[in-house]
Amino acid sequence: MPRFFAVLLTGLIFATNSGAQEAASEDSGSSSITPTESAPTGSAPAESVPPPSPTSGTAATPSETSPLGAGVISGGTPAAQQAPPTFSLPGGAGFLPRTLTAGEGRFAQPPYRLTLSVSQGYDDNIFNSPAHPSKQETQKVAVLTPESKQVATGRFVFVSGFLVPELRLVTKNVATFVEVPAPPPPPPKQGSLVTNGRLAFQTQSASPRTVYTFDASAGGLYYWSRPGDSTDYNGNLALTFLHRISARTTVTAQADAVYASQPNFSRINTPTNQTSDGYVSATAKIDLNHSWSPRLGSVTSYIFNGTFLQSDAAGGDVFDNQIANQVRYTLSPRSTLIIDLRESANTHPNDPAQDSTNTFLLVGVDYMASTRLRATALVGEQVRAQTQNGTALATPYLETTTAYQFTRGSSFAWTNRFGFEDAGNAAQSRLTYRTNLSLNYVIGARTTASAGVAYNRNSTTLIASNEQKAAIENNIQANIGLQYVLNRSLSFNANYSLTQTLTEQAGTSYRRNQIFLGGTYSF
């Protein structure tokens, strides 16, 4: 695979030599980034940014003794006519492409903000107990066992003067079943009043070359009627960073990590049931975005995804490190062709037999229907090979994102993904389809509504077995919320969420409903 990257990069350099020389001649002039500069051509902006007005010119530095007064640039052009700096972040790997604009959205808020949220609610299934529990019996778990035998090649050779058939040794993995003790019976379905408290901090900053946002929160849920430990702690960290190295080169970093005990179906490789001690799920992405010519650009990325379980749960910890290289060619102001090559290493510190590598070869298009609507689609093939035994499987791969920005700040996002994911067992493979929809709608000056749905379909099969019947699991998570802003410091909210898992295995399907009413105070 490194050789493939080298060949690809060499061809890219020769194919774009003339464009690079043209870019160098353009850069020989002024290389400063002005406030009216949009994302470099060939990059991955979240939305099309309107070009500056031909009459606006280049932003000048305001004079401290401007004779025209405050708010007017000394060159004579009103500051209000200057377009604010915009910053475009590429999507993928669980992140949506976004465009951040200085002075708008959260960048119009104070640089630091602290909020305290308290809500009271009810949870009707605090243990994710199955709707129809079944008798717990001894289970059979599939284990891969190597089996070797001699197979005739169809040719003959002389051995000690005799002509005999030629044989060769063939080794393959055979799935065998091992009985394990029955798990303890699930607790009966039980509901409880819940108090939810959370403290959150956010900060952000934007300049003509650099922008960043940082969010952190910590909280807990106190169950009034839950036996044993009555408190579940949770937390979240989120970071966005972008820096324009030059007019053609941008580096971006995005990270998101959560600590929770309840399932979150919008995140990959996380438990689909409640854990006893909690888990940490983290995703990070670093991109180097470069425009080789007015039409040709590339995005080189490093992506990390990891799940750390505090308790010994099925599958154990999993960490995925991925290198990706994306070549983008602009066909028109609205359409960009994409070739995407990725290579990842999936490791399990507690069970090396599950370690694997994944190779993706994808093609697609990035289409901007308008400054408000953008869609990206990538299709191709994913090849998953287990590190220890070399077993390789291939499947079609799909990844799409759609984002729409309504008027007055409302937004809609829709993502889809189909491909191999971690199965939690070296003898199994899992194909997963994921779709996530989210809507944030501004009803009025004080009222905002939100809604979201996450659906996963997991199909798990044995890798080395004549039995091809797949075990199907469907996960659904939906929520709806309403927020009313009383003033700059105080707001009230109401939220409802549904979590449901449907499987073919008796005694594993469950449903959970939660409802909360509360308020948030900002410092």
Side-chain angles (χ1 to χ4, degrees):
M1 194 55 60
R3 180 178 301 174
F4 183 91
F5 276 110
V7 174
L8 180 64
L9 183 59
T10 302
L12 183 63
I13 293 174
F14 279 101
T16 60
N17 183 48
S18 59
Q21 292 177 353
E22 177 186 354
S25 62
E26 293 176 358
D27 288 343
S28 62
S30 175
S31 60
S32 61
I33 308 296
T34 67
T36 59
E37 178 190 349
S38 61
T41 305
S43 63
E47 295 182 4
S48 176
V49 181
S53 170
T55 60
S56 63
T58 302
T61 303
S63 171
E64 295 182 359
T65 59
S66 172
L68 302 180
V72 181
I73 295 177
S74 59
T77 304
Q81 295 182 6
Q82 300 298 322
T86 58
F87 306 88
S88 301
L89 291 94
F95 295 97
L96 282 171
R98 293 181 294 159
T99 293
L100 305 177
T101 303
E104 297 182 6
R106 66 182 292 173
F107 296 102
Q109 301 175 6
Y112 303 99
R113 187 180 184 188
L114 191 66
T115 60
L116 175 64
S117 302
V118 178
S119 59
Q120 183 62 45
Y122 181 78
D123 188 331
D124 73 343
N125 191 359
I126 58 178
F127 294 115
N128 288 351
S129 301
H132 303 286
S134 61
K135 182 181 178 181
Q136 301 296 307
E137 300 177 349
T138 300
Q139 296 182 346
K140 293 183 178 181
V141 178
V143 177
L144 289 180
T145 303
E147 182 181 274
S148 301
K149 63 179 180 179
Q150 289 186 334
V151 179
T153 63
R155 297 184 300 176
F156 292 86
V157 296
F158 284 97
V159 178
S160 301
F162 296 93
L163 189 65
V164 297
E166 182 185 43
L167 302 176
R168 63 184 179 92
L169 190 66
V170 177
T171 302
K172 66 177 182 178
N173 294 307
V174 179
T176 58
F177 294 90
V178 177
E179 291 189 351
V180 297
K189 185 177 179 180
Q190 180 179 344
S192 173
L193 290 173
V194 186
T195 300
N196 185 11
R198 176 176 293 271
L199 185 65
F201 169 79
Q202 76 171 39
T203 181
Q204 59 279 325
S205 177
S207 68
R209 296 177 68 95
T210 305
V211 63
Y212 77 87
T213 65
F214 176 76
D215 298 84
S217 66
L221 296 104
Y222 178 79
Y223 293 85
W224 291 27
S225 305
R226 189 172 75 178
D229 189 1
S230 57
T231 305
D232 284 347
Y233 297 99
N234 51 68
N236 180 80
L237 290 174
L239 171 69
T240 297
F241 173 82
L242 180 147
H243 178 68
R244 289 176 177 166
I245 300 174
S246 69
R248 295 180 177 272
T249 306
T250 303
V251 60
T252 63
Q254 302 177 76
D256 178 35
V258 300
Y259 171 77
S261 58
Q262 298 183 16
N264 187 339
F265 297 150
S266 64
R267 307 180 72 92
I268 67 172
N269 298 329
T270 53
T272 57
N273 212 318
Q274 187 166 348
T275 63
S276 58
D277 296 320
Y279 65 91
V280 176
S281 173
T283 301
K285 185 171 183 277
I286 301 174
D287 303 290
L288 181 63
N289 190 330
H290 184 72
S291 294
W292 299 91
S293 72
R295 288 185 177 268
L296 189 64
S298 65
V299 181
T300 302
S301 307
Y302 166 73
I303 304 161
F304 170 81
N305 178 269
T307 299
F308 172 75
L309 304 176
Q310 288 188 258
S311 59
D312 294 331
D317 304 339
V318 55
F319 304 103
D320 188 85
N321 292 275
Q322 185 175 129
I323 297 294
N325 191 48
Q326 190 176 101
V327 178
R328 303 172 61 88
Y329 182 79
T330 303
L331 286 177
S332 69
R334 294 182 182 269
S335 302
T336 300
L337 292 181
I338 302 171
I339 299 177
D340 196 334
L341 180 64
R342 310 175 189 174
E343 185 78 18
S344 73
N346 189 277
T347 58
H348 299 73
N350 301 328
D351 188 7
Q354 296 189 58
D355 292 354
S356 64
T357 61
N358 291 270
T359 302
F360 303 81
L361 180 58
L362 313 173
V363 295
V365 63
D366 191 350
Y367 181 72
M368 293 184 183
S370 67
T371 57
R372 298 184 180 275
L373 177 61
R374 176 182 177 181
T376 302
L378 292 171
V379 296
E381 186 175 42
Q382 176 187 2
V383 179
R384 186 180 184 94
Q386 291 186 315
T387 305
Q388 288 196 355
N389 55 45
T391 302
L393 299 172
T395 182
Y397 182 86
L398 169 69
E399 185 178 298
T400 70
T401 62
T402 303
Y404 183 76
Q405 189 73 30
F406 295 90
T407 57
R408 303 192 341 182
S410 301
S411 62
F412 170 79
W414 181 27
T415 64
N416 291 275
R417 183 183 185 275
F418 176 81
F420 284 126
E421 290 189 8
D422 193 71
N425 190 318
Q428 298 175 333
S429 66
R430 174 177 292 175
L431 271 174
T432 299
Y433 167 67
R434 294 179 175 272
T435 183
N436 296 292
L437 298 96
S438 63
L439 172 67
N440 188 69
Y441 188 75
V442 178
I443 300 176
R446 295 178 179 270
T447 309
T448 303
S450 61
V453 177
Y455 168 74
N456 307 329
R457 184 183 188 275
N458 302 311
S459 175
T460 305
T461 58
L462 293 176
I463 295 177
S465 174
N466 294 327
E467 179 62 47
Q468 295 300 319
K469 183 179 179 180
I472 306 298
E473 178 180 280
N474 295 282
N475 301 317
I476 304 169
Q477 205 160 46
N479 64 80
I480 185 170
L482 192 66
Q483 182 184 51
Y484 178 79
V485 178
L486 183 63
N487 52 48
R488 293 179 62 89
S489 299
L490 185 62
S491 63
F492 298 96
N493 55 76
N495 295 278
Y496 166 77
S497 65
L498 165 69
T499 303
Q500 185 167 11
T501 292
L502 301 172
T503 71
E504 298 174 343
Q505 184 178 351
T508 58
S509 299
Y510 72 88
R511 176 184 292 181
R512 186 174 189 172
N513 297 277
Q514 296 173 307
I515 186 169
F516 286 93
L517 297 173
T520 299
Y521 185 80
S522 300
F523 299 90

